[in-house]
Amino acid sequence: QVQLVESGGGSVQTGGSLRLSCAASGYTVSRYCMGWFRQAPGKEREGVAAIDNDGSTSYANSVRGRFTISRDDAKNTLYLQMNNLNPEDTAMYYCAATKVDLGARMGLLWAEHFDYWGQGTQVTVSS
């Protein structure tokens, strides 16, 4: 049984930083593709970043240069380092994983491509 458990969310002021973690069980983080998504109230879920099994990464334009996705294979954990946060980053953040290789499709950051989901961790950025 696959379980993805996010942590690290919280409240910060504009310009602050947070690091989200996603601990996986029943799933090897380096096996296929993993990603971070977010959903703000009244908005659709959007892809934030993804990392493939070969270490290649993809980012949404809105976070490129500010967010960094990474994983620690020894700890079987996925991370999202978020710097220079602004109020538009306020959302519930979800960790997700696939059960197949996505290849070039990883760059689309489509939620429909991901099979396993965590419960989410809230990030709130105040001005």
Side-chain angles (χ1 to χ4, degrees):
Q1 182 178 358
V2 176
Q3 281 194 315
L4 304 174
V5 180
E6 302 95 334
S7 61
S11 297
V12 296
Q13 291 188 325
T14 296
S17 298
L18 285 172
R19 188 177 79 154
L20 305 184
S21 299
C22 172
S25 59
Y27 184 92
T28 301
V29 296
S30 60
R31 183 70 178 93
Y32 293 118
C33 180
M34 295 195 72
W36 288 97
F37 292 77
R38 66 186 182 186
Q39 187 167 18
K43 295 187 177 181
E44 293 187 355
R45 188 170 297 191
E46 64 170 340
V48 175
I51 184 167
D52 210 345
N53 51 11
D54 64 359
S56 58
T57 57
S58 181
Y59 295 93
N61 288 336
S62 58
V63 307
R64 187 174 290 112
R66 300 187 298 122
F67 290 11
T68 303
I69 188 171
S70 64
R71 65 172 191 250
D72 185 325
D73 294 348
K75 294 183 178 180
N76 208 37
T77 300
L78 180 74
Y79 300 100
L80 184 69
Q81 177 66 44
M82 305 186 295
N83 298 328
N84 194 21
L85 287 160
N86 59 64
E88 289 69 38
D89 297 316
T90 295
M92 184 72 77
Y93 283 71
Y94 299 91
C95 168
T98 68
K99 54 183 179 182
V100 296
D101 282 323
L102 291 185
R105 291 177 296 165
M106 182 188 71
L108 296 174
L109 295 174
W110 282 358
E112 292 80 1
H113 287 153
F114 289 76
D115 304 288
Y116 306 111
W117 293 84
Q119 294 300 306
T121 186
Q122 177 68 37
V123 171
T124 302
V125 185
S126 58
S127 57

